[in-house]
Amino acid sequence: MNIKTTVTKCLAWGLCLALALTLLPPTALAVETYTTSEEGIALIQEFEDFRSMPYEDNGEWYVGYGTLCDPADYPEGIDREKGWELMEVFLREKEGIVNDLLLEHDISVTQYQFDAMVSMTYNLGTQWIQPGYRFYTCLVNGIAQYSEVEVVNAIATWCHQGAAVMENLVSRRLREAYLFLYGQYDNDGPTAYGYVNYDPDGGSMENHTVFYPVGQPYGDLPVPTRTGSTFKGWFQANGMELTALDAAVGRMEVTAKWEGGGSGSTSKPPIDVSNWVNPYKDVKSGDWYFTYVRELSAAGVVDGYPDGTFQAAREVTAGEALKLILLAAGYQDMGSAEGRHWAANYLDQAVTMGCLAEGEIADLNASISRRTIARVAAVAMGLQPQFGTAPFVDVDDGYVLALYEEEILNGTVVNGQRFYYPDQGINRGEMCAVVSRINNWNYTAENDPAQSGYIEYANTRYPVLPNVPVAPYNTDLMVLDGSKMYYNDPAYRTALGIDVSSYQEDVDWQQVAAAGYEFAFIRIGYRGYGTEGTLNLDKYFQQNLTGAKAAGLKVGAYFFSQAISTAEAMEEALFVLQALNGQSLDYPLVYDWETISASGARTKGLSNTVLTDCAITFCTAVAQSGYIPMIYYNRPVGYQHYQLDRLTAYDVWFAQYADKPSMYYNYRIWQYSDSGSVPGVKGKVDMNIAFVPY
């Protein structure tokens, strides 16, 4: 039976899931007995496909049916029988993760719903099983509260690699969504739903990719925001505006059109790409360089070839590079030199500026090295060479470092190491990225909070709080090596640590300690973010606390708060103190309040004053009991919610998953990743570095 036909005949697309599930009356299973069905295993094998030889994907190595491996383990490859053996181990781990989620929140599901969740976890790990993410929220709050469209979007949103939408992930997510909804392992979810990929063009919005039932009106479209600008609508590359009454199609790319102002982040107005029609048959929206090519093509800076191609992989010549860089840095178009090479005037200009030595470039039609490009770009932009620990393992160059600091160059990360390949040429796609960044670079000091008096974040300006200490760290000295972050400043003695909860299940703390980790934060418990807001003890808390201490790690603890009053914050503090029962901690006892995007989140609309009062109440209570208080936040919570000038008495644990942190105010511990790999810990784990160990 065709699911799309069945759904169309039986339901309006907006019916709530409670009605939709009457198509296939579910029989809830005992939560202790969940294992993947044969149909579920076959579906995962179909998605993953079998690969006999190890292969690399996004920095990780896999073999067989998408199971992690060391590339040296199988030099001769494996057969399907061995692939199944590896898959079975991997599958049991993912089943355990899903079962733990269901047990923790007392969720009853059907066999096919469990299979859909295991398939997601097999592919995504625990990424989606976090408070604040939509599908997790749907499960915890009760699936029956959500419409089909909401559930499809909650699942299908996990379809990106970086910022690019991956069509294979779109197809997989939609099939998993329809399996979860209707129990059909072979279904037409990918044809029943399409998506719109929204480019806010410097604006801010929550979800950039939204899924819609094909053939139905799009309905209300998202509205982005951008400081100083008025949103005028969403437009396709052909100039046609997308409206709420248009019927949804398989896929669409649209860009926001703005009137007045700018993005607030650069000194140049953004290039209008709303009327750009892609003329290149070899440039697709999923290509990493697409936005750069689109921007420069729309501005007339770059062009393609007569056969309709762009040829992004083709190396740039020295003449092309010099002209592009100098024009992007603000120099006048010097035109062609009569009787000489068309780019000779740009070469003369570069020599006059001191970018190049006389005779250094003998052939303007030959390629140009990345090292030379860095020198030309830095001098043209007025940047001085910088000295310090190089972020790249293959070059230590002051001009390269200067451009890295200004986010013009970022290199390539391979197995946790950053490479620049200084002696290689640069291709057209890479050159577009460099030129775009130079073109959009801020040539003033308006984004320096110390000079401007404002912090620019999420297209909003926040006045600098003079009494709040500024982060003293030189972020250029931070180097990520695999899962470990190092801070190469001799003035600091740092320590590496992890934080865990029941999601990691049983941890071998002896292995963690042996791998060089010195501290751990253990989740004590959490308050639910639904209406009831119940207090819950993390079932692995005592086991983790005891095990980490026995292994010689220094230990701290945290509580996930959703308090909406000081009375509730005090209740949480007393709950935590009772759970600790006088047990000592080396590291702080942390107040971890986080925003929840779910529609029923109890903390929505909580005033910044009340939130700050709650943090102070909790910290005061634990301090009076002899523990070190600490507050955890990320940039949105720190800049937009907490009144930080009232919290200067407490140390900060700051979260930002990046190679370098960009928080203006001081923090003592940085949580730099949520996907670290640590011996003794199943799956991914949060990674931390303490700049001033306790």
Side-chain angles (χ1 to χ4, degrees):
M1 180 180 293
N2 183 286
I3 284 294
K4 181 178 178 183
T5 303
T6 304
V7 173
T8 304
K9 289 181 178 180
C10 298
L11 299 172
W13 280 106
L15 284 179
C16 73
L17 186 58
L19 293 177
L21 290 180
T22 60
L23 292 174
L24 292 169
T27 302
L29 303 176
V31 293
E32 294 82 5
T33 62
Y34 287 172
T35 55
T36 312
S37 70
E38 291 184 6
E39 295 90 342
I41 292 172
L43 186 66
I44 295 172
Q45 290 178 327
E46 176 189 342
F47 288 144
E48 296 293 338
D49 199 8
F50 176 78
R51 305 275 288 274
S52 62
M53 298 299 297
Y55 61 96
E56 187 179 15
D57 183 14
N58 201 27
E60 298 276 10
W61 285 85
Y62 301 86
V63 74
Y65 296 103
T67 55
L68 286 165
C69 72
D70 187 304
D73 285 347
Y74 306 105
E76 304 300 324
I78 63 173
D79 56 21
R80 289 185 180 273
E81 182 176 353
K82 180 63 176 178
W84 163 243
E85 291 177 7
L86 296 174
M87 178 184 179
E88 189 172 26
V89 174
F90 201 55
L91 188 64
R92 297 292 91 83
E93 175 190 329
K94 305 312 174 187
E95 288 172 346
I97 291 171
V98 176
N99 274 321
D100 186 60
L101 168 67
L102 301 177
L103 286 166
E104 183 171 353
H105 297 285
D106 194 25
I107 300 170
S108 293
V109 295
T110 62
Q111 178 67 59
Y112 57 77
Q113 288 173 329
F114 179 78
D115 288 350
M117 287 189 286
V118 170
S119 178
M120 286 182 64
T121 310
Y122 196 100
N123 178 234
L124 299 169
T126 58
Q127 292 182 67
W128 66 274
I129 310 178
Q130 301 290 338
Y133 290 134
R134 285 181 286 173
F135 187 47
Y136 176 92
T137 300
C138 290
L139 290 168
V140 173
N141 289 351
I143 282 290
Q145 300 181 38
Y146 299 88
S147 70
E148 176 190 274
V149 173
E150 288 175 318
V151 174
V152 167
N153 271 277
I155 294 175
T157 190
W158 297 94
C159 64
H160 300 81
Q161 186 168 355
V165 177
M166 308 301 291
E167 292 300 327
N168 63 319
L169 292 181
V170 169
S171 179
R172 177 169 185 168
R173 293 290 96 84
L174 289 173
R175 285 188 64 187
E176 288 166 345
Y178 257 43
L179 170 59
F180 184 89
L181 287 167
Y182 304 115
Q184 293 282 338
Y185 290 84
D186 185 11
N187 62 64
D188 61 357
T191 58
Y193 271 80
Y195 67 87
V196 176
N197 201 35
Y198 294 95
D199 178 3
D201 189 26
S204 179
M205 59 187 297
E206 186 173 358
N207 299 303
H208 289 235
T209 306
V210 182
F211 290 80
Y212 301 90
V214 171
Q216 301 296 315
Y218 284 108
D220 293 338
L221 301 175
V223 178
T225 58
R226 193 171 82 175
T227 302
S229 302
T230 302
F231 176 65
K232 304 301 292 183
W234 296 106
F235 290 82
Q236 302 174 57
N238 61 9
M240 296 293 292
E241 184 177 6
L242 179 67
T243 73
L245 298 178
D246 291 341
V249 296
R251 60 171 293 180
M252 183 179 294
E253 304 279 340
V254 296
T255 304
K257 181 176 285 189
W258 303 95
E259 181 176 275
S263 67
S265 61
T266 71
S267 58
K268 299 180 182 180
I271 294 171
D272 184 2
V273 298
S274 59
N275 294 321
W276 182 74
V277 178
N278 187 353
Y280 312 120
K281 58 187 178 183
D282 59 344
V283 175
K284 309 300 181 185
S285 61
D287 296 332
W288 72 265
Y289 47 79
F290 173 81
T291 56
Y292 302 116
V293 172
R294 178 182 61 184
E295 173 194 327
L296 299 183
S297 176
V301 175
V302 298
D303 203 353
Y305 293 89
D307 63 355
T309 62
F310 184 76
Q311 300 180 30
R314 180 175 175 176
E315 279 201 354
V316 173
T317 68
E320 292 168 336
L322 291 175
K323 179 178 179 179
L324 288 168
I325 291 171
L326 292 176
L327 292 181
Y331 289 83
Q332 295 296 315
D333 189 337
M334 287 167 276
S336 299
E338 186 174 351
R340 303 169 64 202
H341 190 280
W342 66 265
N345 286 343
Y346 298 97
L347 175 58
D348 291 345
Q349 179 67 41
V351 172
T352 301
M353 294 163 52
C355 299
L356 298 171
E358 189 76 44
E360 182 176 349
I361 292 182
D363 185 357
L364 286 167
N365 292 323
S367 64
I368 183 171
S369 73
R370 294 166 183 253
R371 189 194 303 270
T372 304
I373 284 174
R375 184 183 347 128
V376 172
V379 173
M381 295 168 67
L383 297 175
Q384 296 298 316
Q386 299 297 307
F387 302 97
T389 302
F392 304 100
V393 299
D394 58 348
V395 64
D396 187 2
D397 182 281
Y399 292 113
V400 174
L401 180 56
L403 292 176
Y404 177 78
E405 290 181 346
E406 295 298 329
E407 300 182 352
I408 305 299
L409 305 175
N410 52 29
T412 302
V413 177
V414 179
N415 295 329
Q417 294 183 308
R418 191 179 298 277
F419 294 83
Y420 181 61
Y421 307 115
D423 299 320
Q424 293 185 12
I426 188 169
N427 66 42
R428 285 166 57 85
E430 295 165 336
M431 195 71 212
C432 284
V434 171
V435 170
S436 172
R437 293 166 188 158
I438 295 174
N439 189 59
N440 291 300
W441 180 65
N442 183 10
Y443 287 81
T444 74
E446 66 188 38
N447 284 342
D448 183 355
Q451 297 185 44
S452 69
Y454 291 91
I455 296 167
E456 300 271 356
Y457 177 71
N459 296 313
T460 304
R461 303 181 81 193
Y462 298 93
V464 170
L465 303 171
N467 297 325
V468 180
V470 176
Y473 315 116
N474 181 351
T475 58
D476 292 323
L477 301 181
M478 297 174 184
V479 178
L480 184 64
D481 183 7
S483 290
K484 291 185 175 181
M485 177 68 67
Y486 296 98
Y487 183 46
N488 297 322
D489 187 334
Y492 289 83
R493 190 197 78 77
T494 60
L496 289 174
I498 63 175
D499 62 270
V500 300
S501 68
S502 60
Y503 294 118
Q504 280 72 40
E505 301 183 323
D506 296 306
V507 176
D508 186 333
W509 289 104
Q510 296 294 335
Q511 286 193 45
V512 174
Y517 296 92
E518 299 178 52
F519 70 91
F521 278 110
I522 312 298
R523 187 176 74 167
I524 293 179
Y526 59 95
R527 184 188 288 277
Y529 52 83
T531 306
E532 300 80 8
T534 58
L535 298 180
N536 304 273
L537 186 70
D538 188 299
K539 63 182 181 180
Y540 282 82
F541 159 63
Q542 190 59 56
Q543 176 180 318
N544 281 328
L545 184 67
T546 302
K549 284 187 173 185
L553 276 76
K554 293 184 177 181
V555 178
Y558 71 97
F559 182 85
F560 180 86
S561 170
Q562 286 293 281
I564 57 176
S565 67
T566 55
E568 286 194 349
M570 178 58 75
E571 181 187 24
E572 292 173 350
L574 295 175
F575 178 87
V576 165
L577 294 171
Q578 183 179 14
L580 282 168
N581 194 27
Q583 296 176 92
S584 64
L585 296 176
D586 309 291
Y587 271 55
L589 185 49
V590 185
Y591 185 71
D592 172 16
W593 185 95
E594 300 179 27
T595 56
I596 302 297
S597 61
S599 58
R602 67 198 313 270
T603 53
K604 272 201 170 179
L606 186 68
S607 77
N608 293 355
T609 298
V610 172
L611 168 61
T612 306
D613 289 341
C614 289
I616 293 172
T617 298
F618 182 97
C619 290
T620 300
V622 301
Q624 289 174 347
S625 296
Y627 296 101
I628 304 169
M630 175 177 264
I631 297 173
Y632 172 100
Y633 56 71
N634 56 15
R635 286 187 299 169
V637 173
Y639 287 141
Q640 300 172 338
H641 293 278
Y642 274 133
Q643 296 169 338
L644 295 181
D645 53 351
R646 298 177 57 206
L647 299 174
T648 55
Y650 310 112
D651 287 343
V652 171
W653 179 10
F654 170 63
Q656 182 184 5
Y657 306 141
D659 288 350
K660 297 195 297 184
S662 57
M663 184 66 184
Y664 181 70
Y665 298 114
N666 197 18
Y667 43 91
R668 188 160 175 173
I669 296 175
W670 173 32
Q671 185 185 75
Y672 58 87
S673 173
D674 64 346
S675 57
S677 179
V678 173
V681 181
K682 298 176 183 176
K684 303 302 183 181
V685 66
D686 294 344
M687 308 299 299
N688 302 275
I689 181 172
F691 296 100
V692 184
Y694 290 85

